[in-house]
C-alpha cells in the first residue's frame, strides 16, 4: 500500500496554493513601467495560477520552475485547458538553480515562494540572472505592525523566525542590487477566498485520517488558519516590484 501524500490530499485540484489571486497578480504587473519581456521566469510556481495569468496577459513564454513534479503536471494540464500551453514551459528544479538555467531574465516573478530558500538569499541569487534594468516581482511574508499579539509572535518565532518588516525587506532588496519601484500588500480577502475557505474544510476532514503524517499536516494547517484569524493584521504578504540596477 502506498503512503498517502499529505500535500496532494490537502491541495489537490485547488487553483490557489497560497494567498493571492489573478486580480492582484495583474495589478502588480501593471505597476511595472513596461509590458515588453522576452525571458519570463516564474520561480516557485506551484500549480501555476499566476503563471497562466502572466502568460495570458503578456502573450510570451513563461518558464515555470518548481521542485514538486505533481504541481508542474497540474500546471501543464491547466495550461492546455486554457489553450496557452504554447506559452508555458515547466522546469522541475530548485529555485537556486535559476541563474544557471536562465542567465538573462527580463522578468522574474515569484509569489509566496522565495521564503523556501530565504528571501535575502533568493534576491541575491536571482539578481545575477536579471538583466540590467530588468525586473523582479517577489512577494514575501512581512510584519505589518510594530507589535503583534503574543500568540502570533510565538507562532512565527518557531514557524518563520526570519520574517521581517516591510522596511527591512526593502533594505534587503536594495542591498541585493535592486531599485524598489512599488510595494503592494495583499488584502485580507485574498487569504480567505479560494484558499483558507477551502483548506479549512479539507483539513477538518483529514484530522482523523489513518496516516499520522496526514493528521499532522491537517492539524498544522488548521493552526495556521487560526493564527491568521487572530492576527489582527499583524502580518501579510507584500509584493516588492523591483528593477535591477
Amino acid at each position: 500500500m502506498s503512503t498517502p501524500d499529505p500535500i496532494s490530499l490537502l491541495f489537490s485540484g485547488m487553483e490557489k496554493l497560497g494567498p493571492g489571486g489573478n486580480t492582484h497578480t495583474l495589478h502588480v504587473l501593471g505597476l511595472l513601467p513596461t509590458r515588453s519581456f522576452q525571458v519570463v521566469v516564474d520561480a516557485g510556481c506551484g500549480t501555476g495560477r499566476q503563471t497562466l495569468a502572466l502568460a495570458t496577459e503578456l502573450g510570451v513564454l513563461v518558464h515555470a520552475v518548481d521542485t514538486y513534479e505533481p504541481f508542474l503536471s497540474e500546471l501543464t494540464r491547466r495550461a492546455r485547458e486554457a489553450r496557452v500551453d504554447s506559452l508555458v514551459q515547466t522546469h522541475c528544479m530548485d529555485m537556486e538553480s535559476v541563474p544557471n538555467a536562465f542567465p538573462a531574465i527580463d522578468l522574474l516573478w515569484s509569489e509566496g515562494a522565495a521564503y523556501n530558500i530565504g528571501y535575502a538569499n533568493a534576491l541575491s541569487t536571482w539578481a545575477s540572472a536579471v538583466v540590467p534594468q530588468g525586473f523582479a516581482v517577489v512577494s514575501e511574508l512581512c510584519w505589518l505592525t510594530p507589535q503583534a499579539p503574543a500568540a502570533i509572535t510565538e507562532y512565527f518565532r518557531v514557524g518563520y523566525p526570519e520574517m521581517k518588516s516591510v522596511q527591512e525587506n526593502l533594505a534587503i532588496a536594495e542591498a541585493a542590487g535592486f531599485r524598489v519601484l512599488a510595494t503592494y500588500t495583499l488584502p485580507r480577502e485574498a487569504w480567505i477566498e479560494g484558499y483558507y475557505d477551502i483548506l479549512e474544510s479539507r483539513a477538518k476532514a483529514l484530522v482523523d485520517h489513518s496516516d499520522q503524517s496526514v493528521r499532522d499536516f491537517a492539524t498544522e494547517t488548521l493552526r495556521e488558519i487560526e493564527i491568521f484569524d487572530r492576527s489582527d493584521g499583524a502580518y501579510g504578504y507584500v509584493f516588492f516590484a523591483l528593477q535591477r540596477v
Side-chain angles (χ1 to χ4, degrees):
M1 181 182 296
S2 60
T3 303
D5 180 358
I7 295 176
S8 294
L9 284 174
L10 199 61
F11 289 99
S12 178
M14 289 181 61
E15 180 186 12
K16 294 166 56 169
L17 299 182
N22 291 349
T23 299
H24 309 290
T25 295
L26 297 179
H27 171 76
V28 178
L29 180 65
L31 298 177
L32 302 180
T34 181
R35 290 291 184 94
S36 178
F37 308 105
Q38 293 185 354
V39 180
V40 179
V41 175
D42 183 5
C45 63
T47 54
R49 175 204 51 78
Q50 70 289 334
T51 314
L52 299 179
L54 293 170
T56 302
E57 183 71 13
L58 296 173
V60 298
L61 179 65
V62 178
H63 296 279
V65 171
D66 205 279
T67 59
Y68 192 61
E69 186 64 54
F71 285 165
L72 295 176
S73 297
E74 176 68 7
L75 170 53
T76 298
R77 184 188 67 78
R78 292 181 181 183
R80 188 166 53 247
E81 287 184 353
R83 298 184 179 179
V84 292
D85 46 312
S86 64
L87 297 178
V88 175
Q89 186 173 332
T90 61
H91 306 266
C92 191
M93 55 186 280
D94 189 274
M95 291 189 293
E96 287 191 284
S97 300
V98 164
N100 294 330
F102 311 100
I105 300 170
D106 298 299
L107 173 62
L108 186 143
W109 198 275
S110 184
E111 290 195 29
Y115 78 93
N116 285 294
I117 60 172
Y119 173 76
N121 177 53
L123 290 189
S124 61
T125 298
W126 296 337
S128 64
V130 178
V131 299
Q133 305 306 308
F135 301 92
V137 173
V138 180
S139 69
E140 169 70 351
L141 200 60
C142 301
W143 291 114
L144 300 178
T145 59
Q147 288 188 317
I152 311 304
T153 303
E154 177 61 20
Y155 177 81
F156 284 105
R157 185 188 67 78
V158 176
Y160 191 23
E162 297 83 15
M163 187 159 74
K164 294 177 170 51
S165 69
V166 176
Q167 287 301 320
E168 288 174 316
N169 284 327
L170 289 172
I172 288 172
E174 291 172 348
F178 292 98
R179 176 169 55 252
V180 180
L181 301 178
T183 63
Y184 173 73
T185 303
L186 283 178
R188 178 179 174 81
E189 61 266 22
W191 290 72
I192 299 171
E193 297 169 1
Y195 186 54
Y196 277 165
D197 58 358
I198 297 175
L199 276 184
E200 184 171 22
S201 60
R202 287 189 175 192
K204 285 179 177 178
L206 292 171
V207 290
D208 295 322
H209 195 276
S210 59
D211 185 86
Q212 181 69 50
S213 65
V214 175
R215 294 198 300 273
D216 290 346
F217 195 40
T219 300
E220 290 169 9
T221 299
L222 291 173
R223 176 61 173 160
E224 176 187 325
I225 296 171
E226 178 194 0
I227 287 294
F228 178 76
D229 288 340
R230 297 171 56 188
S231 67
D232 197 26
Y235 65 92
Y237 267 109
V238 178
F239 279 87
F240 296 89
L242 312 171
Q243 185 170 27
R244 187 80 169 93
V245 295

